């Protein structure tokens, strides 16, 4: 096993195209589910990974009010207690009513626990979810097992791969 995959058993590699399709699927699922005649008031993306799906969801649902919340917790694959280092505009998000919080994935759920506490009435949506974090999410698209590490396109590059039967 490649050392950069430890301690997870499996790798789930997501291309830009796949992320685009899955974020669009998330938007379609959320369409018409907002509290104001089905409409959502604003999108809040959780930096940094939530910014790409937040952009796609806000584009699909024609939501022009977009803000971010910045949370720092993971350093590579090791997690420390999540800390909010930047809040969204309080006048915009209020208690979270009509706000869609968007992140790329939920793993342990610790990031969303901290974010939810700041906007208790918001709807939380992620593209991918692992079982431990699922209770923190209202809507998600694809579930992967807890021992899977999800690799996003912004963390990868195309590179040469040797054929299975490499010439001697
Ligand atoms: O459910 P949890 O166990 O809290 O993990 C999920 C969070 O971890 C990743 O972010 P990360 O902290 O790596 O920061 P980044 O988005 O800036 O890359 C991911 O984008 C989620 O925000
Ligand atoms: N890229 C990435 N970041 C994470 N943060 C917590 N879990 C994951 C994961 O599976 N992949
Ligand atoms: Mg993140």
């Amino acid at each position: 096993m490649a050392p950069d995959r430890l301690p997870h058993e499996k790798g789930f590699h997501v291309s830009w195209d796949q992320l685009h399709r899955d974020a669009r699927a998330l938007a379609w699922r959320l369409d018409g589910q907002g509290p104001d005649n089905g409409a959502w008031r604003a999108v809040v993306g959780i930096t940094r990974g939530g910014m790409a799906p937040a952009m796609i969801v806000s584009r699909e649902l024609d939501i022009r009010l977009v803000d971010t919340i910045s949370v720092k917790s993971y350093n590579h694959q090791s997690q420390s207690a999540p800390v909010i280092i930047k809040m969204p505009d309080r006048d915009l998000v209020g208690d979270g009513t009509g706000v869609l919080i968007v992140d790329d994935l939920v793993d342990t759920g610790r990031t969303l626990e901290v974010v939810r506490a700041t906007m208790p009435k918001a709807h939380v949506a992620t593209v991918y979810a692992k079982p431990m974090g699922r209770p923190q999410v209202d809507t998600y698209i694809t579930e992967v097992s807890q021992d899977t590490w999800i690799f996003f396109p912004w963390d990868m590059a195309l590179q040469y791969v040797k054929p299975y039967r490499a010439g001697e």
Side-chain angles (χ1 to χ4, degrees):
M1 189 191 300
D4 64 345
R5 292 227 328 233
L6 289 169
H8 293 76
E9 284 290 316
K10 302 164 196 149
F12 181 75
H13 296 79
V14 181
S15 66
W16 282 111
D17 182 59
Q18 189 65 49
L19 182 83
H20 195 181
R21 287 166 194 272
D22 290 342
R24 273 192 163 148
L26 184 63
W28 286 327
R29 197 162 292 173
L30 294 165
D31 190 23
Q33 304 300 313
D36 182 15
N37 280 328
W40 300 101
R41 223 162 36 78
V43 167
V44 172
I46 303 179
T47 68
R48 294 158 301 177
M51 293 172 80
M55 181 275 281
I56 295 163
V57 166
S58 57
R59 188 263 182 190
E60 293 302 328
L61 301 185
D62 195 27
I63 302 166
R64 303 296 174 134
L65 288 173
V66 182
D67 206 337
T68 53
I69 183 166
S70 298
V71 185
K72 177 149 183 26
S73 70
Y74 281 85
N75 195 3
H76 297 295
Q77 293 187 5
S78 56
Q79 189 181 32
S80 46
V83 178
I84 295 174
I85 54 176
K86 183 246 160 203
M87 279 291 293
D89 183 347
R90 185 45 78 188
D91 292 338
L92 171 67
V93 298
D95 64 2
T97 303
V99 172
L100 264 179
I101 296 173
V102 177
D103 208 351
D104 50 0
L105 71 97
V106 63
D107 186 325
T108 63
R110 286 190 201 111
T111 300
L112 289 182
E113 200 181 336
V114 167
V115 170
R116 259 183 186 285
T118 69
M119 292 168 269
K121 299 218 166 133
H123 186 102
V124 177
T126 65
V127 186
Y128 306 106
K130 301 187 193 180
M132 200 189 294
R134 233 179 19 216
Q136 293 291 340
V137 187
D138 300 306
T139 306
Y140 65 93
I141 295 299
T142 299
E143 181 168 346
V144 301
S145 63
Q146 199 66 39
D147 61 354
T148 294
W149 188 260
I150 302 171
F151 290 92
F152 287 105
W154 46 87
D155 288 327
M156 295 186 292
L158 289 177
Q159 65 173 50
Y160 176 75
V161 178
K162 272 206 301 195
Y164 287 129
R165 279 184 171 273
E168 295 294 306

